[in-house]
Amino acid sequence: MTRASSPAPRAMPRRRFVATAITGVAALAVAGLPSLARAAEVQVHATLGRAQIDVGQSVYLQVEVSTEGQSIPSPRFVGLDEVAVSSRGTSSGMSVEYSNGRSVRRSTKTFTYVLTPRAAGEHPIKVEVEIAGQVYRPATTPTLLATGEDYEPELEHDKASDAPTSPDAEVIVWPVVDKATAYVGEQIIYELEIYERARGNLTIAAAPTFKDFWSEDLQTAQQQQQQRRNTEQRLVGGVPYRVHETMRRALFPQKAGTLTIGGPEVQLQELTGPFFGGSGPPQTFMGRGLAIEVQPLPTEGRPKGFRANSVGQFRITAEVDRAQLTQGEAVRLSLRISGTGNIALIELPEPPSLAGLRSYEPKPETPKFELGKAKLQGSRVYTMLVISDEAGELEIPAFELPYFDPDAGEYKVAQSKPIKLVVEANPDAAPAPEPTSKRDDGGERGDDELLAPAIASDTLPRVTPRERRLTSKRWWVGSLAAPAVLGLGWLGAKLRERFGPDDDARARNQELARRRALLNEANAAVDSGEGFYPNLAALLQAAAVQRAGSEGVGLTRERLMKLLDKRGVAAEEVTQLRELLDACDAARFGAGSGDVAQRREHLERARALLGRRTWRRA
């Protein structure tokens, strides 16, 4: 018996196959239209002014971002470690397009940057823009080719109070110190002078670094503005230059060895054309780094009680709010340390022994600096309460302040004058305890002697005893309640330790209070402009350093921005911070402080950035 074979499957007709394929392709196209439309909503273009420059030169980069009415954040750069990037402003525009019977409003924002390569080779300029959680990049990545030798900062030794001798550049960035060798803690004056013979706006792109130095500014904001206006003419190799003194700081080395002051970087945007408009990217000029040889303080002849920050020339004075008082009362003793040196870190010496007197822990006041002087001078006051335990004429002995005079190369001791106090006896005051008791015959009282003569019991008055406060019931209640009270106290201490403010929290609160003070000062100076940008720059720099941690102290701006990026700070926030700091530098060291509207805009941008939770909790 044969098995019947099953019929073979019929092939799909060609016409039906083509129709099915067309339908599928159309469905895929319709499904893909929204994503294609979304992709077309955002367009990013990056354009370099020149594709090849030498190391140290600058070139413009324009990043144009176009969206359908969405907010446009600042772009971020990826892997651009060997190229310095500084913002040069933005411009915005809007257009209306008609497509498929509907109008589409497109917003366009153009960001302008200045790129300065520090190393030779090819540098791909990778740009990203994040909008609504999606990252967009240009269709093509421009590449900057840098030729020449890699830039290495110039470090000079044994340079103090010198001046440039060769007119080899239109701008000469010339930092100078008053001494090339110093002791630990000795004051060094650092000045940054900029010589220029070209018309243009000068901007400090990177400030000098003072690692291992304690630094204090010697000029107020008003003095800095006045100094920038009062430029002077000097000849360098017979060529006249206009000289701007942009910085004066007092530096105090904190350790021995060869310490380095990093060189600054200045950019010049030349003014050309009939209306003095800028043409081309700014030119970059580098300042030299300086090496300071720091010697340790001598150990020979070091007096007892000497503190490491007492290096300079100091005086100490003492005064009280009144010299006559009653036994048991207190006077306020004020100790003022003044002179030339690191007043911010000066410490009060150990107090001398006070006969018939006792004192509380001294409290320091905020140091006061005398700005505008050749060196950092000032004073700091410590106040303490002194209580009279005995009556009579008492004396507050002289306080001694040991210090090291670097000019004389020896240790010295400053002394205050003793202070006499007249203390009137107070019969209600508790008498001061005597160390030993004396007998009438001059010998010490023995333990076998009676302290008082015997009294007969029948001579004592009869008094009805009062009801005892401590009854048996109260004693048991107190005994049982004591462990519970102690347990609650221990639990409260643990809860405070666990949930209360720790040292870090208190430090953050103090830093936030300092930020609020700077913000209030900047807000008060919006209309006048006096001190606005220095306060705003100090506020932003302090916030950035605290966000970066201890490693951010003393870094250049570019390195600080990179450290913030490593710490996970959003690229948009880093870019906003960089733009605001650049704007502060442009106003402080450029043509002027701008108008009220511009200052108000910068203040609001800073307020919005630092008001974010991540910056408040840094």
Side-chain angles (χ1 to χ4, degrees), residues 124-198:
I125 312 301
K126 299 179 181 179
V127 181
E128 294 182 349
V129 180
E130 185 174 351
I131 298 177
Q134 188 170 352
V135 176
Y136 299 91
R137 302 177 180 86
T140 58
T141 300
T143 299
L144 177 62
L145 177 60
T147 58
E149 297 181 356
D150 294 353
Y151 168 73
E152 294 185 4
E154 182 183 5
L155 184 63
E156 297 190 5
H157 295 256
D158 299 326
K159 298 293 183 180
S161 303
D162 59 345
T165 57
S166 175
D168 54 356
E170 292 184 337
V171 174
I172 302 175
V173 183
W174 197 258
V176 65
V177 290
D178 65 337
K179 59 189 67 175
T181 59
Y183 288 100
V184 173
E186 182 180 358
Q187 183 170 181
I188 300 171
I189 303 301
Y190 176 92
E191 296 179 331
L192 177 57
E193 296 179 339
I194 300 178
Y195 293 69
E196 58 97 8
R197 64 187 186 195

Side-chain angles (χ1 to χ4, degrees), residues 378-609:
S379 62
R380 192 169 195 183
V381 176
Y382 288 80
T383 59
M384 55 193 302
L385 289 179
V386 178
I387 302 174
S388 58
D389 286 332
E390 299 179 0
E393 186 174 310
L394 305 180
E395 181 181 87
I396 299 177
F399 280 72
E400 295 186 348
L401 174 65
Y403 67 94
F404 180 76
D405 187 343
D407 293 342
E410 61 182 13
Y411 291 96
K412 297 181 179 180
V413 178
Q415 286 187 335
S416 65
K417 293 182 179 180
I419 299 177
K420 299 290 185 180
L421 296 179
V422 178
V423 182
E424 182 181 352
N426 181 6
D428 297 330
E434 295 184 1
T436 57
S437 179
K438 301 291 183 178
R439 295 204 310 250
D440 294 340
D441 57 1
E444 294 186 358
R445 189 183 300 276
D447 294 336
D448 56 343
E449 292 192 13
L450 297 177
L451 300 181
I455 301 176
S457 61
D458 56 355
T459 62
L460 297 176
R462 304 300 178 183
V463 179
T464 304
R466 293 180 298 177
E467 181 183 358
R468 295 173 57 190
R469 292 184 177 275
L470 183 61
T471 62
S472 176
K473 180 179 179 181
R474 291 173 180 173
W475 185 87
W476 281 109
V477 170
S479 299
L480 295 175
V485 173
L486 292 175
L488 289 175
W490 176 84
L491 179 61
K494 289 298 182 183
L495 289 175
R496 177 176 177 81
E497 181 181 349
R498 174 65 178 86
F499 298 104
D502 54 7
D503 292 339
D504 293 338
R506 283 189 287 270
R508 286 195 299 269
N509 291 336
Q510 292 177 357
E511 180 61 25
L512 288 176
R514 179 170 174 264
R515 289 193 206 171
R516 285 193 293 269
L518 289 171
L519 190 62
N520 292 335
E521 292 178 6
N523 188 44
V526 167
D527 294 332
S528 65
E530 292 291 332
F532 173 80
Y533 282 104
N535 287 323
L536 186 62
L539 169 66
L540 295 169
Q541 184 72 16
V545 170
Q546 187 181 21
R547 187 77 186 272
S550 59
E551 296 181 16
V553 178
L555 293 182
T556 62
R557 180 170 303 169
E558 201 58 39
R559 292 182 179 178
L560 181 59
M561 297 300 116
K562 292 178 183 178
L563 183 57
L564 290 175
D565 186 60
K566 283 186 180 180
R567 293 284 188 266
V569 180
E572 176 187 354
E573 297 179 0
V574 175
T575 303
Q576 291 180 10
L577 177 64
R578 188 199 306 273
E579 291 177 353
L580 286 170
L581 287 172
D582 288 344
C584 290
D585 283 348
R588 295 168 64 192
F589 307 112
S593 59
D595 54 19
V596 176
Q598 188 178 31
R599 291 193 292 270
R600 198 176 302 280
E601 177 190 359
H602 290 155
L603 180 63
E604 293 304 322
R605 290 179 61 189
R607 197 194 303 272
L609 174 63

Side-chain angles (χ1 to χ4, degrees), residues 328-333 335 348 351 354 357-363 382-389 399:
E329 292 182 343
V331 296
R332 183 179 298 275
L333 173 63
L335 297 163
L348 188 70
L354 305 174
L357 303 166
R358 52 190 170 93
S359 63
Y360 286 96
E361 190 73 17
K363 296 183 178 180
Y382 288 80
T383 59
M384 55 193 302
L385 289 179
V386 178
I387 302 174
S388 58
D389 286 332
F399 280 72

